[in-house]
Coordinates of all heavy atoms in Angstrom, one line a residue:
H1 N 80.9 92.3 106.7 CA 80.9 90.9 106.4 C 79.6 90.4 106.1 O 79.5 89.6 105.1 CB 81.5 90.2 107.7 CG 82.8 90.7 108.2 ND1 84.0 90.4 107.6 CD2 83.0 91.5 109.3 CE1 84.9 91.0 108.3 NE2 84.4 91.7 109.3
N2 N 78.6 90.9 106.7 CA 77.3 90.4 106.5 C 76.7 90.8 105.2 O 75.8 90.2 104.6 CB 76.3 90.9 107.6 CG 76.7 90.3 108.9 OD1 77.3 89.3 109.0 ND2 76.2 91.0 109.9
Y3 N 77.2 91.9 104.6 CA 76.6 92.5 103.4 C 77.7 92.4 102.2 O 77.5 93.1 101.2 CB 76.1 93.9 103.6 CG 75.1 93.9 104.7 CD1 75.4 94.3 106.0 CD2 73.8 93.4 104.4 CE1 74.4 94.2 107.0 CE2 72.8 93.3 105.4 CZ 73.1 93.8 106.7 OH 72.2 93.7 107.7
G4 N 78.8 91.8 102.4 CA 79.7 91.7 101.3 C 80.6 92.9 101.1 O 81.2 93.0 100.0
V5 N 80.7 93.8 102.1 CA 81.5 94.9 101.9 C 82.6 95.1 103.0 O 83.2 96.2 103.1 CB 80.6 96.2 101.9 CG1 79.7 96.2 100.8 CG2 79.9 96.4 103.2
A6 N 82.9 94.0 103.7 CA 83.9 94.1 104.7 C 84.8 92.8 104.7 O 84.3 91.7 104.3 CB 83.3 94.2 106.1
V7 N 86.0 92.9 105.2 CA 86.9 91.8 105.3 C 87.9 92.1 106.5 O 88.2 93.2 106.8 CB 87.7 91.6 103.9 CG1 88.6 92.8 103.7 CG2 88.5 90.3 103.9
D8 N 88.3 90.9 107.1 CA 89.4 91.1 108.0 C 90.6 90.4 107.5 O 90.6 89.2 106.9 CB 89.0 90.3 109.3 CG 88.0 91.1 110.2 OD1 87.8 92.3 109.9 OD2 87.4 90.4 111.1
L9 N 91.8 91.1 107.6 CA 93.0 90.6 107.0 C 94.1 90.6 108.2 O 94.0 91.5 109.0 CB 93.5 91.4 105.9 CG 92.6 91.5 104.7 CD1 93.1 92.5 103.7 CD2 92.4 90.2 104.0
T10 N 95.0 89.7 108.1 CA 96.1 89.7 109.1 C 97.4 89.5 108.3 O 97.3 89.2 107.1 CB 96.0 88.7 110.2 OG1 96.0 87.3 109.6 CG2 94.8 88.9 111.0
F11 N 98.5 89.7 109.0 CA 99.8 89.5 108.3 C 100.1 88.0 108.4 O 100.0 87.3 109.5 CB 100.8 90.4 109.0 CG 100.5 91.8 108.9 CD1 99.8 92.5 109.9 CD2 100.9 92.5 107.8 CE1 99.6 93.8 109.7 CE2 100.6 93.8 107.6 CZ 100.0 94.5 108.6
Q12 N 100.8 87.5 107.4 CA 101.1 86.1 107.3 C 102.1 85.7 108.4 O 101.9 84.7 109.1 CB 101.7 85.7 105.9 CG 101.9 84.2 105.8 CD 102.4 83.9 104.3 OE1 102.5 84.7 103.5 NE2 102.5 82.6 104.2
K13 N 103.1 86.5 108.6 CA 104.2 86.2 109.6 C 103.8 86.6 111.0 O 103.8 85.8 111.9 CB 105.5 86.8 109.2 CG 106.6 86.5 110.1 CD 107.9 87.2 109.6 CE 109.1 87.0 110.6 NZ 110.2 87.7 110.2
E14 N 103.3 87.8 111.1 CA 103.0 88.4 112.4 C 101.6 88.1 113.0 O 101.4 88.2 114.2 CB 103.2 90.0 112.4 CG 104.6 90.4 112.1 CD 104.9 90.5 110.6 OE1 104.0 90.0 109.8 OE2 105.9 91.0 110.2
G15 N 100.7 87.8 112.1 CA 99.3 87.6 112.5 C 98.7 88.8 113.1 O 99.0 89.9 112.7
Y16 N 97.8 88.6 114.1 CA 97.2 89.7 114.8 C 98.2 90.5 115.7 O 97.9 91.5 116.1 CB 96.0 89.1 115.7 CG 94.9 88.7 114.9 CD1 94.6 87.3 114.7 CD2 93.9 89.6 114.4 CE1 93.5 86.9 113.9 CE2 92.8 89.2 113.8 CZ 92.6 87.8 113.5 OH 91.5 87.4 112.8
N17 N 99.3 89.9 116.0 CA 100.2 90.5 116.9 C 101.3 91.4 116.2 O 102.3 91.6 116.7 CB 101.0 89.4 117.7 CG 100.0 88.6 118.6 OD1 99.1 89.2 119.2 ND2 100.2 87.3 118.6
A18 N 100.9 91.9 115.1 CA 101.9 92.8 114.4 C 102.1 94.0 115.2 O 101.2 94.4 116.0 CB 101.3 93.1 113.0
S19 N 103.2 94.7 114.9 CA 103.5 95.9 115.7 C 102.5 97.0 115.3 O 101.8 97.0 114.2 CB 104.9 96.4 115.3 OG 104.9 96.8 113.9
N20 N 102.4 98.0 116.2 CA 101.5 99.1 115.9 C 101.9 99.9 114.6 O 101.1 100.4 113.9 CB 101.5 100.1 117.0 CG 100.6 99.6 118.2 OD1 99.6 98.8 118.0 ND2 100.9 100.0 119.4
A21 N 103.3 99.9 114.4 CA 103.8 100.7 113.2 C 103.3 99.9 111.9 O 102.9 100.5 110.9 CB 105.3 100.7 113.2
L22 N 103.3 98.6 111.9 CA 102.9 97.8 110.8 C 101.4 97.9 110.6 O 101.0 98.1 109.4 CB 103.3 96.4 111.0 CG 103.2 95.4 109.7 CD1 103.9 96.0 108.5 CD2 103.7 94.0 110.0
W23 N 100.6 97.9 111.6 CA 99.2 98.1 111.5 C 98.8 99.5 111.0 O 98.0 99.7 110.1 CB 98.5 97.9 112.8 CG 98.2 96.4 113.2 CD1 98.7 95.7 114.2 CD2 97.5 95.5 112.4 NE1 98.3 94.4 114.2 CE2 97.5 94.3 113.1 CE3 96.7 95.6 111.3 CZ2 96.9 93.1 112.6 CZ3 96.0 94.4 110.8 CH2 96.1 93.2 111.5
K24 N 99.6 100.5 111.4 CA 99.4 101.8 110.9 C 99.7 101.9 109.5 O 98.9 102.6 108.7 CB 100.2 102.8 111.7 CG 99.9 104.2 111.4 CD 100.6 105.2 112.3 CE 100.3 106.6 111.8 NZ 100.4 107.6 112.8
K25 N 100.7 101.3 109.0 CA 101.0 101.3 107.6 C 99.9 100.6 106.8 O 99.5 101.1 105.7 CB 102.4 100.6 107.3 CG 102.7 100.6 105.8 CD 104.1 100.1 105.7 CE 105.0 101.3 105.4 NZ 106.3 101.0 105.0
F26 N 99.4 99.5 107.3 CA 98.3 98.7 106.7 C 97.1 99.6 106.6 O 96.5 99.7 105.5 CB 98.0 97.6 107.6 CG 96.7 96.8 107.3 CD1 96.8 95.9 106.2 CD2 95.6 96.9 108.0 CE1 95.6 95.1 105.9 CE2 94.5 96.2 107.7 CZ 94.5 95.3 106.7
G27 N 96.7 100.4 107.7 CA 95.6 101.3 107.6 C 95.8 102.4 106.6 O 94.8 102.7 105.8
T28 N 97.0 102.9 106.6 CA 97.3 104.0 105.6 C 97.1 103.6 104.2 O 96.5 104.2 103.3 CB 98.7 104.5 105.8 OG1 98.8 105.0 107.2 CG2 99.1 105.6 104.8
V29 N 97.6 102.4 103.8 CA 97.5 101.9 102.5 C 96.0 101.6 102.1 O 95.5 101.9 101.1 CB 98.4 100.6 102.3 CG1 98.1 99.9 101.0 CG2 99.9 101.0 102.4
A30 N 95.3 101.0 103.1 CA 93.9 100.6 102.9 C 93.1 101.8 102.6 O 92.3 101.9 101.7 CB 93.4 99.8 104.1
K31 N 93.3 102.9 103.4 CA 92.5 104.1 103.2 C 92.8 104.8 101.9 O 92.0 105.4 101.3 CB 92.8 105.1 104.5 CG 92.1 104.5 105.7 CD 92.2 105.5 106.9 CE 93.6 105.5 107.4 NZ 93.7 106.4 108.6
K32 N 94.1 104.7 101.5 CA 94.5 105.3 100.2 C 93.7 104.6 99.1 O 93.4 105.3 98.1 CB 96.0 105.0 100.0 CG 96.5 105.5 98.7 CD 98.0 105.2 98.6 CE 98.5 105.7 97.2 NZ 99.9 105.3 97.0
H33 N 93.3 103.4 99.3 CA 92.5 102.7 98.3 C 91.0 102.7 98.5 O 90.2 102.0 97.9 CB 93.0 101.2 98.2 CG 94.3 101.2 97.5 ND1 94.6 101.3 96.2 CD2 95.6 101.1 98.2 CE1 95.9 101.2 96.0 NE2 96.5 101.1 97.2
G34 N 90.5 103.6 99.4 CA 89.0 103.8 99.6 C 88.4 103.0 100.7 O 87.2 103.1 100.9
F35 N 89.2 102.3 101.5 CA 88.6 101.5 102.6 C 88.5 102.3 103.9 O 89.3 103.2 104.1 CB 89.5 100.3 102.9 CG 89.4 99.2 101.8 CD1 90.3 99.1 100.8 CD2 88.4 98.2 101.9 CE1 90.2 98.2 99.8 CE2 88.3 97.3 100.9 CZ 89.2 97.2 99.9
E36 N 87.5 102.0 104.7 CA 87.5 102.5 106.1 C 88.2 101.4 106.9 O 88.1 100.2 106.7 CB 86.0 102.5 106.6 CG 85.9 103.0 108.0 CD 84.5 103.1 108.5 OE1 83.6 103.3 107.7 OE2 84.4 103.0 109.8
W37 N 89.1 101.9 107.8 CA 89.9 101.0 108.5 C 89.4 100.9 110.0 O 89.3 101.9 110.7 CB 91.4 101.4 108.5 CG 92.3 100.6 109.3 CD1 92.4 99.2 109.3 CD2 93.3 101.0 110.1 NE1 93.4 98.8 110.2 CE2 94.0 99.9 110.7 CE3 93.7 102.3 110.5 CZ2 95.1 100.0 111.6 CZ3 94.8 102.4 111.4 CH2 95.5 101.3 111.9
G38 N 89.2 99.7 110.5 CA 88.8 99.5 111.9 C 89.8 100.0 112.9 O 89.4 100.2 114.1
G39 N 91.0 100.2 112.6 CA 92.0 100.7 113.5 C 91.8 102.2 113.8 O 92.3 102.7 114.8
D40 N 90.9 102.9 113.1 CA 90.6 104.2 113.4 C 89.3 104.4 114.3 O 89.0 105.5 114.7 CB 90.2 105.0 112.1 CG 91.5 105.3 111.3 OD1 92.6 105.4 111.8 OD2 91.3 105.5 110.1
W41 N 88.7 103.3 114.5 CA 87.5 103.3 115.4 C 87.8 103.7 116.8 O 88.9 103.4 117.3 CB 86.7 102.0 115.3 CG 86.2 101.7 113.9 CD1 86.2 102.5 112.9 CD2 85.7 100.4 113.5 NE1 85.6 101.8 111.8 CE2 85.3 100.6 112.2 CE3 85.4 99.2 114.2 CZ2 84.7 99.5 111.5 CZ3 84.9 98.2 113.5 CH2 84.5 98.3 112.1
K42 N 86.9 104.4 117.4 CA 87.2 104.9 118.8 C 86.7 103.9 119.9 O 87.4 103.7 120.9 CB 86.5 106.2 119.0 CG 86.9 107.3 118.1 CD 88.4 107.6 118.2 CE 88.7 108.7 117.2 NZ 90.0 108.5 116.6
N43 N 85.5 103.3 119.7 CA 84.9 102.4 120.8 C 85.5 101.0 120.7 O 85.5 100.4 121.7 CB 83.4 102.5 120.7 CG 82.8 103.8 121.1 OD1 83.5 104.6 121.9 ND2 81.8 104.2 120.4
F44 N 85.7 100.5 119.5 CA 86.1 99.1 119.3 C 87.1 99.1 118.2 O 86.8 99.2 117.1 CB 84.9 98.2 119.0 CG 85.3 96.8 118.7 CD1 85.8 96.0 119.7 CD2 85.3 96.3 117.4 CE1 86.2 94.7 119.4 CE2 85.7 95.1 117.1 CZ 86.1 94.2 118.1
I45 N 88.4 99.2 118.6 CA 89.5 99.2 117.6 C 89.7 97.8 117.1 O 89.9 96.8 117.8 CB 90.8 99.7 118.3 CG1 90.6 101.1 118.8 CG2 92.0 99.6 117.3 CD1 91.7 101.7 119.5
D46 N 89.5 97.7 115.7 CA 89.6 96.4 115.1 C 90.5 96.5 113.9 O 90.2 96.7 112.7 CB 88.2 96.0 114.6 CG 88.0 94.6 114.1 OD1 89.1 93.9 114.1 OD2 86.9 94.3 113.6
K47 N 91.9 96.4 114.2 CA 92.9 96.7 113.2 C 92.8 95.8 112.0 O 93.1 96.3 110.9 CB 94.3 96.6 113.9 CG 94.5 97.7 114.9 CD 95.8 97.5 115.6 CE 96.0 98.6 116.7 NZ 97.2 98.3 117.5
P48 N 92.5 94.5 112.0 CA 92.3 93.7 110.8 C 91.2 94.1 109.9 O 91.1 93.6 108.8 CB 92.2 92.3 111.4 CG 92.6 92.3 112.7 CD 92.3 93.7 113.3
H49 N 90.2 94.9 110.4 CA 89.0 95.1 109.7 C 89.1 96.2 108.6 O 89.6 97.3 108.9 CB 87.9 95.5 110.7 CG 86.5 95.6 110.1 ND1 85.6 94.6 109.9 CD2 85.9 96.7 109.6 CE1 84.5 95.0 109.4 NE2 84.7 96.3 109.2
L50 N 88.6 95.9 107.4 CA 88.5 96.9 106.3 C 87.1 96.8 105.8 O 86.5 95.7 105.7 CB 89.4 96.6 105.2 CG 90.9 96.5 105.5 CD1 91.7 96.1 104.2 CD2 91.4 97.9 106.0
E51 N 86.5 97.9 105.4 CA 85.2 97.9 104.8 C 85.1 99.1 103.8 O 85.8 100.0 103.9 CB 84.1 98.0 105.8 CG 84.0 99.2 106.6 CD 82.8 99.2 107.6 OE1 82.8 98.1 108.4 OE2 82.1 100.1 107.7
M52 N 84.3 98.8 102.8 CA 84.0 99.9 101.8 C 82.5 99.9 101.6 O 82.0 99.1 100.8 CB 84.7 99.5 100.5 CG 84.7 100.7 99.5 SD 85.7 100.3 98.0 CE 87.3 100.3 98.6
T53 N 81.9 100.9 102.1 CA 80.4 101.0 102.1 C 79.9 101.9 101.1 O 78.7 102.0 100.9 CB 79.9 101.4 103.5 OG1 80.4 102.7 103.8 CG2 80.2 100.4 104.6
M54 N 80.8 102.7 100.4 CA 80.4 103.6 99.4 C 79.4 104.6 99.9 O 78.6 105.1 99.2 CB 79.9 102.9 98.1 CG 80.9 101.9 97.5 SD 82.3 102.6 96.8 CE 81.7 103.2 95.3
G55 N 79.5 105.0 101.2 CA 78.6 106.0 101.8 C 77.2 105.4 102.2 O 76.4 106.2 102.8
Y56 N 77.0 104.2 102.0 CA 75.7 103.6 102.5 C 75.8 103.3 104.0 O 76.8 103.1 104.6 CB 75.4 102.2 101.8 CG 75.1 102.4 100.4 CD1 75.9 102.0 99.3 CD2 73.8 102.9 100.0 CE1 75.6 102.1 98.0 CE2 73.5 103.0 98.6 CZ 74.4 102.6 97.6 OH 74.0 102.8 96.4
S57 N 74.6 103.4 104.6 CA 74.5 103.1 106.1 C 74.1 101.6 106.3 O 73.7 100.9 105.4 CB 73.5 104.0 106.7 OG 72.2 103.6 106.3
I58 N 74.3 101.1 107.5 CA 73.9 99.8 107.9 C 72.4 99.6 107.6 O 72.0 98.5 107.1 CB 74.2 99.5 109.3 CG1 74.1 98.0 109.6 CG2 73.4 100.3 110.3 CD1 75.0 97.1 108.9
N59 N 71.6 100.6 107.8 CA 70.2 100.5 107.5 C 69.9 100.4 106.0 O 69.0 99.7 105.6 CB 69.4 101.7 108.1 CG 69.2 101.6 109.6 OD1 69.1 100.4 110.1 ND2 69.2 102.7 110.3
D60 N 70.7 101.1 105.2 CA 70.6 100.9 103.8 C 70.8 99.4 103.3 O 70.1 98.8 102.5 CB 71.6 101.7 103.0 CG 71.3 103.2 103.1 OD1 70.1 103.6 103.4 OD2 72.3 104.0 103.0
F61 N 71.8 98.8 103.9 CA 72.1 97.4 103.7 C 70.9 96.5 104.1 O 70.5 95.6 103.4 CB 73.4 97.0 104.3 CG 74.6 97.5 103.5 CD1 75.3 98.6 104.0 CD2 75.0 96.9 102.3 CE1 76.3 99.2 103.3 CE2 76.1 97.4 101.6 CZ 76.8 98.5 102.1
K62 N 70.5 96.8 105.4 CA 69.4 95.9 106.0 C 68.2 96.0 105.1 O 67.5 95.0 105.0 CB 69.1 96.4 107.4 CG 70.2 95.9 108.4 CD 69.8 96.4 109.8 CE 70.9 96.0 110.8 NZ 70.5 96.5 112.1
N63 N 67.9 97.2 104.6 CA 66.7 97.4 103.8 C 66.9 97.2 102.3 O 66.0 97.5 101.5 CB 66.1 98.8 104.1 CG 65.7 99.0 105.5 OD1 65.0 98.1 106.0 ND2 66.1 100.1 106.1
Q64 N 68.0 96.6 101.9 CA 68.3 96.3 100.5 C 68.2 97.5 99.6 O 67.6 97.3 98.5 CB 67.5 95.1 100.1 CG 67.8 93.9 100.9 CD 66.9 92.7 100.5 OE1 66.0 92.8 99.6 NE2 67.0 91.6 101.2
M65 N 68.7 98.6 100.0 CA 68.6 99.9 99.2 C 69.9 100.2 98.6 O 70.3 101.3 98.6 CB 68.1 101.0 100.1 CG 66.7 100.7 100.7 SD 66.1 102.0 101.7 CE 65.8 103.3 100.5
I66 N 70.6 99.2 98.1 CA 72.0 99.3 97.6 C 72.1 99.1 96.1 O 71.5 98.2 95.6 CB 72.9 98.3 98.3 CG1 72.8 98.3 99.8 CG2 74.4 98.5 97.9 CD1 73.1 99.6 100.5
D67 N 72.8 100.0 95.5 CA 73.1 99.9 94.1 C 74.5 99.3 94.0 O 75.5 100.0 94.0 CB 73.1 101.2 93.3 CG 73.5 101.2 91.9 OD1 73.7 100.0 91.4 OD2 73.6 102.2 91.3
Y68 N 74.6 98.0 93.9 CA 75.9 97.2 93.9 C 76.8 97.6 92.7 O 78.0 97.3 92.7 CB 75.7 95.8 94.1 CG 75.4 95.4 95.6 CD1 74.1 95.1 96.0 CD2 76.5 95.3 96.5 CE1 73.9 94.8 97.3 CE2 76.3 95.0 97.8 CZ 75.0 94.8 98.2 OH 74.7 94.5 99.5
S69 N 76.1 98.2 91.7 CA 76.9 98.5 90.5 C 78.0 99.6 90.9 O 79.0 99.8 90.2 CB 76.1 99.0 89.3 OG 75.5 100.2 89.7
R70 N 77.7 100.3 91.9 CA 78.7 101.3 92.4 C 80.0 100.7 92.9 O 81.0 101.3 93.0 CB 78.1 102.2 93.5 CG 77.0 103.1 93.1 CD 76.4 103.9 94.2 NE 77.5 104.7 94.8 CZ 77.3 105.3 96.0 NH1 76.2 105.1 96.7 NH2 78.3 106.0 96.5
F71 N 80.0 99.4 93.2 CA 81.1 98.7 93.8 C 82.1 98.2 92.7 O 83.1 97.5 93.0 CB 80.7 97.6 94.7 CG 80.1 98.1 96.0 CD1 78.7 98.5 96.1 CD2 80.8 98.4 97.1 CE1 78.1 98.9 97.2 CE2 80.2 98.8 98.3 CZ 78.9 99.2 98.3
K72 N 81.7 98.3 91.5 CA 82.6 97.7 90.4 C 83.7 98.6 90.1 O 83.8 99.8 90.3 CB 81.7 97.6 89.1 CG 80.7 96.5 89.4 CD 79.9 96.3 88.1 CE 78.9 95.2 88.3 NZ 78.0 95.0 87.2

């Protein structure tokens, strides 16, 4: 969110309370399109969270070492 490479999405009807099956399908589709899905995280599961860092680390973003043309 802080660096323009993450977004949180929810379902219009179910909101955050969607079934695990629906969240799993959401994660599967997102990953198919190159996103990292917060539902796969081990310490803090964040099912609405998607990010696409293109292999950059948080320190790369903090130190402005990003070639944003890779995101086109």
Side-chain angles (χ1 to χ4, degrees):
H1 306 283
N2 296 339
Y3 302 103
V5 296
V7 63
D8 286 345
L9 301 173
T10 62
F11 297 94
Q12 185 173 2
K13 181 178 176 185
E14 298 87 349
Y16 287 100
N17 297 318
S19 68
N20 285 332
L22 190 54
W23 279 119
K24 185 172 178 151
K25 180 172 258 190
F26 172 78
T28 298
V29 171
K31 291 186 286 186
K32 179 180 177 184
H33 292 280
F35 288 92
E36 179 180 335
W37 178 47
D40 287 335
W41 296 349
K42 303 296 181 215
N43 294 328
F44 176 71
I45 296 172
D46 189 1
K47 293 176 184 175
H49 184 88
L50 300 175
E51 62 183 51
M52 188 176 292
T53 62
M54 304 291 281
Y56 289 109
S57 71
I58 191 70
N59 284 328
D60 293 334
F61 286 100
K62 287 180 180 179
N63 294 314
Q64 300 177 358
M65 301 179 71
I66 307 302
D67 176 6
Y68 281 100
S69 68
R70 292 180 57 196
F71 291 86
K72 293 181 182 179

